[in-house]
Amino acid sequence: MKASVIANKEYTISKIDDRVYGAFLEHLGRAVYEGIYEPDHPSADKDGMRGDVIDLVKKLNVPVVRYPGGNFVSAYNWEDGVGPREERPVRLDLAWHTSESNAVGVHEFADWCATVGTEMMLAVNLGSRGVDDARNFLEYVNHPGGSYWSDLRIKNGRKEPWNVKMWCLGNEMDGPWQVGHKDADEYGKLAANTARAMRMFDKSLELIVCGSSNSDMASYPDWERIVLEHTYDHVDHISLHMYFANRDDNTPNYLGQAEKLDTYIETVASTIKQVKAKKKSKKDVYISFDEWNVWYHSNKKDREILEGNSGWPHAPGLLEDIYNFEDVLMVGLILNTFIRRSDVVKIACIAQLVNVIAPIMTEKGGPAWAQTIYYPYYFASVYGRGTALQLVTNSPGYETTHDKNTAFVDVSGVHNEEDGTLTFFLVNRHTSESIETEVSLQGFTNASIIDHQVMTHPDLKAVNTAKNQEEVAPKKGTGAKVDGDTLSVALPPYSYQMVRVKI
Ligand code: AHR
């Protein structure tokens, strides 16, 4: 089987916003406790943060981390997490039926972000709270001093304001599972009022309003239209979430779900345009895809705790999906979609970062390791920076439950002018056939391959564990070559590859 791709230097989509390679960390399960924070761990630093996790996060070059939730934020009092640790209250977390010790709050998270070299993206609680707490939290975090909340921050040990630019106006407010769930009109008015108050403090903030929790919600896509009609002039991004699952154990259909993601983005981009036209506005609103990943492996196991049959445990193992090889392909496809839609998707966060539906797993007192999906995320984040190319791809396809014709070969291309490289991320969705793929490099001269990484495995269900951490890991590829202006790559069945070319 054969496929062809045209990569022309002049045909570009957009400069990719680095923040599409962001991540998310929620007070949920063992994400924070035993994830990033474990004071008794042998690798812990002076702040009790796990050094082995810091190393794995640093390698990913994560540009932004969204915090503290998620569903958790909708009943969270941020003040509980500041001040002397021994005085912080233990609270019940209604979202996940657990207890929250508040040993980690915004100060500890901010210090950790500085250590790993990432920017904070904070969410305010628009579930159980509203405008007043949002403005107080903002003043605490961003005001230099001389006011009640900023002076409290200084008293609590942080002199300089953090100057956080990105703020989420609540989380998944369309979901009936959310504490303080609202309909689109109620939420739209609250979000607009909150945004107005926050902007009175600082016009330059980047505000993110809640879109749909997923594209199967009954309120979608009217939710986006109504919410944007209330907030268009006051926000910069609309947040979308989507999780992927292979519940029927049907890999071709599972991998076809990437098409659904593309349609979701396209529909919301059109809704943004519709509201922009209605408002006669010159301003653009973009998409913040601030929760995405595969999530289903752990669903059954979590039921006991989520149904409240285990009391209110502190930091239990929740949403601990163990990812397999086919999830590598899914994550590669999702990231390819974000690169191709970098004209409208300016922020995206893998959900989440550690232990909870995460690329990084830890054992209490033991090792930290990379799950299978760590690698496609790593390659995209580290090498997928630059300008997205408008590729013309010609590949045979197949029918799925989502689409009549899904291409076997999925590819994205990134031109980095600064370092003079072209990077291609390729996924072959074919069950059994290798696909010879020829990429015509137009306008790029003297191309030579500088890196070629391949992920493939005979067992789609193979996983990495604490004991066998490299069962699924990238290997140096051998089959790619450049002849004149043609790059040829052989894509084995069910494979993920990254090919980098110096130009
Ligand atoms: O990431 C896990 C949960 O998924 C988040 O708390 C919520 O926003 C979404 O439903």
Side-chain angles (χ1 to χ4, degrees):
M1 217 174 249
K2 286 191 189 320
S4 67
V5 179
I6 299 172
N8 187 306
K9 196 178 174 186
E10 304 303 326
Y11 297 165
T12 60
I13 298 169
S14 169
K15 165 100 180 64
I16 300 165
D17 192 317
D18 289 351
R19 298 174 301 177
V20 297
Y21 304 119
F24 170 41
L25 192 77
E26 178 169 5
H27 281 255
L28 195 185
R30 299 190 310 123
V32 170
Y33 307 108
E34 294 178 27
I36 63 166
Y37 178 72
E38 193 181 329
D40 297 335
H41 192 270
S43 75
D45 65 12
K46 61 172 187 7
D47 300 323
M49 298 297 181
R50 283 184 67 143
D52 52 358
V53 172
I54 288 171
D55 290 344
L56 281 163
V57 175
K58 272 186 173 168
K59 276 191 199 139
L60 289 169
N61 195 14
V62 182
V64 51
V65 179
R66 178 173 177 253
Y67 173 89
N71 297 340
F72 171 79
V73 80
S74 294
Y76 178 54
N77 298 346
W78 62 269
E79 309 91 309
D80 292 344
V82 304
R85 255 204 191 108
E86 58 287 0
E87 289 171 23
R88 297 184 193 176
V90 173
R91 298 272 189 200
L92 300 185
D93 166 28
L94 303 177
W96 304 104
H97 218 283
T98 54
S99 295
E100 170 57 52
S101 69
N102 284 303
V104 171
V106 70
H107 287 258
E108 293 78 16
F109 176 65
D111 289 345
W112 180 82
C113 285
T115 307
V116 300
T118 196
E119 203 178 331
M120 288 194 270
M121 175 179 181
L122 293 177
V124 299
N125 171 357
L126 292 191
S128 66
R129 298 183 128 186
V131 180
D132 214 31
D133 293 297
R135 75 177 176 112
N136 295 344
F137 190 24
L138 176 61
E139 183 184 311
Y140 187 92
V141 171
N142 278 6
H143 194 58
S147 69
Y148 178 80
W149 292 109
S150 57
D151 286 347
L152 185 61
R153 182 198 68 240
I154 294 167
K155 188 173 157 226
N156 287 336
R158 169 76 190 194
K159 186 159 184 317
E160 296 304 319
W162 286 294
N163 280 322
V164 172
K165 284 288 164 214
M166 285 168 275
W167 292 82
C168 303
L169 303 168
N171 174 70
E172 294 191 349
M173 298 309 300
D174 62 329
W177 57 84
Q178 204 69 220
V179 173
H181 155 67
K182 292 164 181 57
D183 68 29
D185 266 312
E186 280 177 294
Y187 171 66
K189 283 180 196 160
L190 175 61
N193 282 330
T194 308
R196 265 194 288 262
M198 293 175 84
R199 285 259 162 89
M200 284 178 193
F201 172 80
D202 179 357
K203 284 193 191 58
S204 73
L205 297 177
E206 268 189 80
L207 300 179
I208 299 129
V209 73
C210 294
S212 294
S213 303
N214 61 72
S215 61
D216 292 328
M217 296 297 290
S219 53
Y220 166 80
D222 284 337
W223 175 277
E224 277 76 3
R225 179 184 53 76
I226 298 166
V227 166
L228 283 174
E229 281 174 1
H230 287 288
T231 59
Y232 197 90
D233 295 331
H234 314 296
V235 301
D236 304 283
H237 307 264
I238 184 156
S239 142
L240 299 184
H241 295 174
M242 193 170 192
Y243 290 99
F244 300 82
N246 186 6
R247 295 190 199 283
D248 310 330
D249 197 10
N250 180 329
T251 308
N253 271 341
Y254 172 49
L255 300 179
Q257 286 172 19
E259 304 297 307
K260 204 174 160 187
L261 170 63
D262 197 57
T263 308
Y264 189 18
I265 294 170
E266 182 57 30
T267 306
V268 175
S270 305
T271 306
I272 294 171
K273 281 190 192 147
Q274 184 198 350
V275 179
K276 180 180 177 182
K278 195 169 168 185
K279 297 250 171 203
K280 314 273 181 282
S281 177
K282 289 202 174 97
K283 166 179 180 280
D284 287 308
V285 166
Y286 295 99
I287 292 172
S288 170
F289 218 109
D290 45 44
E291 285 187 36
W292 66 266
N293 203 348
V294 173
W295 175 13
Y296 76 102
H297 297 286
S298 59
N299 291 170
K300 215 164 135 199
K301 186 168 165 273
D302 289 344
R303 247 169 243 154
E304 274 292 296
I305 294 176
L306 299 183
E307 283 168 9
N309 300 330
S310 306
W312 297 88
H314 181 253
L318 270 177
L319 280 63
E320 299 207 354
D321 274 40
I322 303 302
Y323 293 111
N324 57 31
F325 171 66
E326 70 183 1
D327 299 330
V328 169
L329 306 177
M330 190 68 232
V331 165
L333 293 165
I334 297 167
L335 287 160
N336 274 356
T337 307
F338 291 147
I339 291 171
R340 287 193 297 259
R341 294 318 314 256
S342 54
D343 53 334
V344 287
V345 179
K346 299 294 175 188
I347 303 172
C349 303
I350 188 170
Q352 299 190 10
L353 191 54
V354 190
N355 287 333
V356 170
I357 40 175
I360 299 168
M361 285 302 291
T362 70
E363 253 180 21
K364 186 177 162 68
W369 67 98
Q371 291 231 58
T372 63
I373 61 165
Y374 182 94
Y375 298 104
Y377 176 43
Y378 163 81
F379 287 128
S381 177
V382 174
Y383 300 110
R385 310 219 179 184
T387 299
L389 291 175
Q390 181 78 63
L391 305 176
V392 181
T393 303
N394 224 314
S395 159
Y398 67 107
E399 188 169 350
T400 71
T401 42
H402 314 286
D403 207 357
K404 281 215 174 76
N405 189 22
T406 294
F408 286 120
V409 174
D410 186 86
V411 52
S412 69
V414 180
H415 179 201
N416 187 323
E417 278 187 283
E418 270 164 43
D419 64 10
T421 58
L422 261 182
T423 301
F424 296 98
F425 303 100
L426 306 111
V427 177
N428 180 1
R429 288 185 258 216
H430 202 290
T431 323
S432 53
E433 294 224 19
S434 190
I435 303 184
E436 297 300 319
T437 303
E438 287 204 339
V439 186
S440 163
L441 305 172
Q442 301 183 352
F444 300 106
T445 46
N446 299 322
S448 62
I449 293 172
I450 47 170
D451 197 5
H452 180 200
Q453 300 286 336
V454 180
M455 293 188 74
T456 183
H457 201 285
D459 179 6
L460 286 170
K461 309 297 177 191
V463 300
N464 292 343
T465 60
K467 289 210 173 70
N468 190 3
Q469 296 182 10
E470 305 224 342
E471 178 60 35
V472 180
K475 295 196 173 62
K476 276 261 174 222
T478 49
K481 61 175 195 303
V482 177
D483 189 3
D485 56 7
T486 303
L487 163 70
S488 313
V489 203
L491 307 178
Y494 284 145
S495 61
Y496 167 91
Q497 311 210 6
M498 179 188 73
V499 184
R500 304 195 70 227
V501 172
K502 186 91 190 152
I503 37 154

